[in-house]
Amino acid sequence: MARIISIANQKGGVGKTTTAINLAASFAVLEYKTLLVDADPQANSTTGVGFDLHNITNSLYDCMVNNATAEDVILKSEMPYLDVIPSHIDLVGAEIEMINYPNRENVLKTVLDPIKEKYDFIVIDCSPSLGLITVNSLVAADSVAVPVQCEFFALEGLGKLLNTVKIVQNRLNPNLQIEGILMTMYDGRLRLCNQVVSEVRRHFDDLVFATIIHRNTRLSEAPSVGKPVILYDAESKGSINYLNLAKEILQKNEMTNMTNKERIIE
């Protein structure tokens, strides 16, 4: 049964898509069967793992609005253990089209439930908003990981997101947990970065991942060639950071000792 992790923060430019792509790829490299769900209309996770949007006929939009099944839209990536549900610009209109649905917050959960048995992890890349699609992602998820950029306004909006998580826990998904707060774009040479990390750890303590994602040129370049950083440059700092994050999540959820029989290997 898959553990579903949403990557969410309504603030743009904090490394959500980078985290979704590279965390999913790291799980796949470690031979955990993983599904990356692109729930952002910008579809950057889709192109970031090598798919051309012009060649995609069905997407998450079709699952949420046109009653397509997840099986209908899942694409196999070039990595053996990584599948993708692609996004499309049409997803922008989905929130309006879903507004009168009786269980509009549960649409994504309904889409993913039939395929949960096939994967070890499902990673959802959310859009930079707290709209209906993001709420759907939180309702469908077991946990939420929150990327936070190491900059002056890091804590701005974080309280709002955590408040939204609390509302979802109280009303829609009582089992939703905070997987962790992930510090991204860290530059150890800058005093500000170190101050921000200290401040976030002081405020949120155990919620903050031990792993920190450093600023890394290879990490920035990888999406332009449609590859996760681990395929682009396996020895880069970015690649090692995300592998460490995947291992930290595995340890936290006591999944490191899974045998091949326990994993979903086809």
Side-chain angles (χ1 to χ4, degrees):
M1 178 78 78
R3 180 167 185 82
I4 303 180
I5 304 173
S6 282
I7 314 295
N9 189 334
Q10 79 276 17
K11 205 166 183 291
V14 296
K16 273 189 308 298
T17 297
T18 300
T19 296
I21 291 170
N22 292 298
L23 177 60
S26 295
F27 285 140
V29 162
L30 295 169
E31 298 189 352
Y32 289 86
K33 196 145 177 34
T34 305
L35 175 68
L36 175 61
V37 179
D38 191 349
D40 184 348
Q42 295 175 83
N44 291 334
S45 276
T46 304
T47 56
V49 289
F51 293 102
D52 184 342
L53 296 181
H54 296 102
N55 297 332
I56 289 170
T57 50
N58 290 318
S59 68
L60 183 62
Y61 171 83
D62 297 285
C63 293
M64 298 189 80
V65 175
N66 295 333
N67 295 320
T69 66
E71 294 279 11
D72 293 335
V73 304
I74 287 173
L75 302 173
K76 295 206 169 295
S77 78
E78 63 177 305
M79 298 181 74
Y81 289 88
L82 181 62
D83 293 347
V84 180
I85 291 183
S87 184
H88 192 275
I89 191 65
D90 287 349
L91 200 59
V92 169
E95 298 202 356
I96 297 167
E97 294 181 64
M98 290 162 56
I99 206 75
N100 292 319
Y101 284 20
N103 288 312
R104 59 180 181 266
E105 297 91 357
N106 289 286
V107 175
L108 185 55
K109 184 179 188 328
T110 305
V111 170
L112 296 179
D113 274 350
I115 56 166
K116 279 175 74 172
E117 297 288 344
K118 292 190 166 189
Y119 295 95
D120 296 308
F121 286 98
I122 297 175
V123 177
I124 306 174
D125 180 21
C126 298
S127 62
S129 74
L130 292 179
L132 186 55
I133 302 292
T134 299
V135 170
N136 262 265
S137 301
L138 296 176
V139 172
D142 297 302
S143 65
V144 54
V146 186
V148 174
Q149 189 175 353
C150 294
E151 54 146 47
F152 183 69
F153 294 113
L155 295 174
E156 189 183 83
L158 193 51
K160 190 175 180 185
L161 174 66
L162 296 176
N163 192 46
T164 302
V165 169
K166 198 171 285 185
I167 291 168
V168 171
Q169 286 170 329
N170 290 338
R171 300 183 187 174
L172 299 164
N173 181 4
N175 298 318
L176 181 64
Q177 301 170 341
I178 294 174
E179 192 73 50
I181 294 168
L182 177 68
M183 304 306 300
T184 63
M185 305 181 198
Y186 174 79
D187 186 340
R189 297 169 299 178
L190 301 179
R191 184 188 298 172
L192 176 64
C193 281
N194 292 303
Q195 288 174 338
V196 169
V197 171
S198 298
E199 188 77 357
V200 172
R201 288 202 194 282
R202 191 168 64 80
H203 271 81
F204 297 103
D205 195 23
D206 291 346
L207 289 180
V208 186
F209 285 113
T211 304
I212 292 176
I213 309 300
H214 292 70
R215 277 196 185 277
N216 180 247
T217 307
R218 298 310 231 178
L219 200 53
S220 306
E221 291 171 351
S224 66
V225 293
K227 290 180 184 291
V229 69
I230 203 155
L231 291 187
Y232 182 61
D233 183 351
E235 294 181 359
S236 68
K237 189 85 170 172
S239 178
I240 292 162
N241 286 165
Y242 277 108
L243 263 177
N244 286 337
L245 177 64
K247 289 172 183 174
E248 187 175 344
I249 290 172
L250 288 165
Q251 286 174 344
K252 184 179 176 183
N253 294 293
E254 298 179 346
M255 297 174 73
T256 47
N257 295 324
M258 287 175 74
T259 64
N260 280 348
K261 284 185 180 176
E262 290 172 299
R263 291 189 205 165
I264 300 151
I265 296 178
E266 292 176 348

